[in-house]
């Protein structure tokens, strides 16, 4: 199950979906509303309820916070984080970014929703994507409610489930050093790649390979 982050939707997962589906995996994507962490977790569990057998949750960006909260569900076998937040109990995405800041430039609306400044979207989110694609993403971005970033994690799944982590070495949305801290703290199987925050698109082959490695490892452990 693939869980998108902020400023994007599940369609960005298509390159990864295509590879995994071709290789015989049953893949679903979550279209979370980005309105509250509870509602985003509920959307994830709703899709999880349609799965057969153990599942792997894959989160990009803020989607990592979502799978951290949702992943304690007994149907979840493991977690894969792609340039993602991975808060501990009592932490939030915002509190961790305050400790290790990023370079992303955002604008908050009067009613509490957040946009990336379209003039800086490619530089801050998708520097390794074609300019035309980045322009479209900038104009179609889905703004999250600011409160989702401040909501504290209560039961972090990575403390009880195996995890994999891909660090984007050129990330401006989440500081790569914060990503490294997350991965080291959780003892995740970690790979670092050159790329922007949008590695779930630009490095789809490597992302799919990490997910397949997780699936094979967990399958062997479960006797499948």
């Amino acid at each position: 199950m693939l869980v998108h982050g902020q400023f994007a939707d599940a369609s960005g997962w298509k390159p990864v979906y295509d590879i995994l589906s071709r290789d015989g995996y049953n893949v679903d994507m979550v279209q979370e509303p980005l309105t509250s962490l509870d509602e985003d977790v509920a959307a994830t569990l709703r899709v999880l309820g349609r799965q057969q057998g153990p599942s792997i949750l894959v989160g990009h960006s803020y989607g990592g916070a979502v799978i951290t909260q949702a992943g304690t569900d007994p149907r979840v076998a493991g977690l894969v984080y792609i340039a993602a937040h991975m808060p501990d109990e009592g932490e939030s995405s915002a509190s961790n970014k305050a400790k290790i800041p990023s370079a992303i430039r955002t604008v908050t609306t009067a009613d509490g929703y957040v946009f990336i400044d379209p003039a800086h979207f490619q530089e801050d989110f998708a520097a390794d994507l074609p300019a035309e694609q980045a322009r479209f993403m900038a104009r179609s971005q889905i703004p999250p409610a600011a409160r989702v970033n401040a909501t504290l994690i209560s039961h972090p799944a990575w403390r009880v489930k195996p995890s994999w982590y891909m660090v984007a070495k050129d990330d401006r949305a989440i500081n790569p050093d914060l990503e490294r801290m997350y991965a080291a703290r959780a003892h995740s199987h970690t790979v670092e790649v050159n790329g922007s925050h949008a590695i779930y698109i630009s490095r789809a082959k490597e992302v799919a390979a990490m997910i397949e490695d997780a699936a094979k490892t967990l399958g062997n452990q479960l006797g499948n």
Side-chain angles (χ1 to χ4, degrees), residues 48 54-57 71 73-79 160-164 218-219 221-222:
L48 182 63
S55 296
I56 295 173
L57 297 185
D73 188 285
R75 295 167 291 188
V76 176
L79 309 160
V160 293
K161 304 286 175 77
S163 62
W164 284 253
L218 294 168
Q221 292 175 357
L222 295 170

Side-chain angles (χ1 to χ4, degrees), residues 163-203:
S163 62
W164 284 253
Y165 200 108
M166 184 170 288
V167 174
K169 292 195 284 187
D170 306 309
D171 202 333
R172 290 177 61 88
I174 301 176
N175 192 312
D177 286 337
L178 179 55
E179 296 177 8
R180 294 182 181 107
M181 184 279 285
Y182 284 144
R185 180 172 68 179
H187 305 291
S188 303
H189 307 273
T190 306
V191 172
E192 296 202 8
V193 298
N194 295 318
S196 73
H197 193 57
I199 55 170
Y200 70 113
I201 302 173
S202 63
R203 304 302 295 265

